[in-house]
């Protein structure tokens, strides 16, 4: 079976920083959100937003587009370590287009699973990192694990290493690492299994290992 970095290098993908940072590349910028602008949030990188909007907009125009895979990495250049793998499917549970993807250019609270709202990755990670400044209460334990793995300090939020995202669009008929033609869900589990074997201490996925 092909190794994960080799397979990723063969795919059409958009690789961008996840967070907007200060000049050192590690100190994550924050901004205020909510109707009253009272919820402090980690800020996504503009190039990540542009890549997501462009990919989803183009994908939704094609009948055979299933959605996309995403891989969060730490590191730089050719030295990238996969940290979390997931998917966002085109079809919703009850609707032809998932609420995660519909009106993607203005849907910043959901934004392909990387939205700023509760129950979405950047929102819950912001809660784990910024605490009460984001929302009262405690973030899910999963995101406290993310915060400990990714951040050197929480006040102010500073990363241990640069964090980037691979966005990989997926169409009917594409092949996963095993060489089999697979659905988005099947390929997601293939990638998690490969990453768990190659990076057992670094991978933050629990389900699918």
């Amino acid at each position: 079976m092909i190794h994960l970095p080799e397979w990723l290098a063969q795919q059409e993908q958009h690789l961008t920083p996840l967070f907007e940072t200060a000049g050192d590349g590690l100190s994550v910028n924050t901004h205020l959100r909510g109707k009253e602008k009272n919820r402090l949030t980690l800020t996504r990188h503009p190039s990540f937003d542009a890549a997501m909007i462009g990919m989803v907009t183009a994908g939704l125009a094609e009948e055979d587009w299933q959605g996309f895979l995403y891989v969060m990495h730490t590191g730089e250049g050719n030295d990238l370590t996969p940290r979390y793998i997931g998917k966002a499917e085109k079809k919703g549970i009850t609707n032809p287009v998932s609420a995660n993807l519909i009106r993607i250019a203005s849907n910043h609270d959901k934004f392909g699973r990387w939205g700023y709202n509760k129950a979405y990755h950047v929102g819950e990670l912001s809660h784990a990192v910024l605490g009460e400044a984001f929302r009262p209460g405690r973030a899910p334990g999963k995101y406290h694990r993310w915060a400990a793995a990714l951040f050197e300090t929480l006040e102010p939020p500073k990363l241990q290493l640069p964090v980037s995202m691979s966005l990989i669009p997926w169409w009917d008929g594409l092949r996963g690492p095993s060489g089999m033609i697979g659905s988005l869900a099947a390929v997601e589990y293939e990638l998690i299994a490969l990453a768990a074997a190659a990076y057992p201490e670094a991978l933050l996925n629990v389900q699918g290992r």
Side-chain angles (χ1 to χ4, degrees):
M1 182 180 285
I2 193 170
H3 294 296
L4 181 58
E6 182 182 351
W7 184 84
L8 288 173
Q10 295 173 3
Q11 307 310 305
E12 175 188 342
Q13 62 179 295
H14 309 271
L15 178 64
T16 76
L18 175 57
F19 297 113
E20 182 182 84
T21 57
D24 62 1
L26 296 174
S27 297
V28 178
N29 293 340
T30 58
H31 69 284
L32 293 169
R33 296 190 68 80
K35 291 181 180 179
E36 299 179 5
K37 299 294 183 185
N38 60 353
R39 182 158 54 91
L40 192 65
T41 307
L42 302 171
T43 303
R44 296 188 309 248
H45 199 284
S47 65
F48 174 74
D49 282 17
M52 176 74 79
I53 291 167
M55 177 188 66
V56 172
T57 300
L60 290 177
E62 299 188 30
E63 188 174 335
D64 61 347
W65 188 70
Q66 293 188 20
F68 63 93
L69 299 155
Y70 52 78
V71 183
M72 179 174 69
H73 310 273
T74 53
E76 294 184 273
N78 295 322
D79 187 20
L80 296 178
T81 300
R83 305 306 299 269
Y84 189 79
I85 295 166
K87 70 179 188 312
E89 297 190 68
K90 173 183 177 180
K91 191 177 185 307
I93 296 173
T94 57
N95 296 311
V97 177
S98 167
N100 292 318
L101 304 182
I102 198 166
R103 296 184 297 276
I104 191 68
S106 59
N107 188 5
H108 289 282
D109 283 345
K110 295 182 174 66
F111 209 69
R113 298 294 307 148
W114 290 88
Y116 287 124
N117 211 350
K118 179 181 178 181
Y120 291 86
H121 292 320
V122 176
E124 294 292 13
L125 183 57
S126 296
H127 193 186
V129 172
L130 303 171
E132 297 278 327
F134 176 81
R135 188 177 65 245
R138 179 176 169 82
K142 163 182 176 175
Y143 293 97
H144 287 276
R145 291 194 298 106
W146 284 32
L150 300 178
F151 284 83
E152 179 179 312
T153 62
L154 304 185
E155 296 182 13
K158 183 176 181 180
L159 299 167
Q160 298 178 29
L161 294 167
V163 176
S164 58
M165 291 289 299
S166 290
L167 302 175
I168 305 166
W170 201 256
W171 289 271
D172 295 343
L174 293 184
R175 298 179 183 273
S178 67
M180 300 288 287
I181 294 174
S183 68
L184 197 56
V187 176
E188 176 197 27
Y189 273 89
E190 279 194 64
L191 298 185
I192 292 171
L194 284 178
Y199 309 95
E201 301 300 322
L203 190 68
L204 292 167
N205 291 81
V206 175
Q207 186 177 10
R209 292 178 70 99

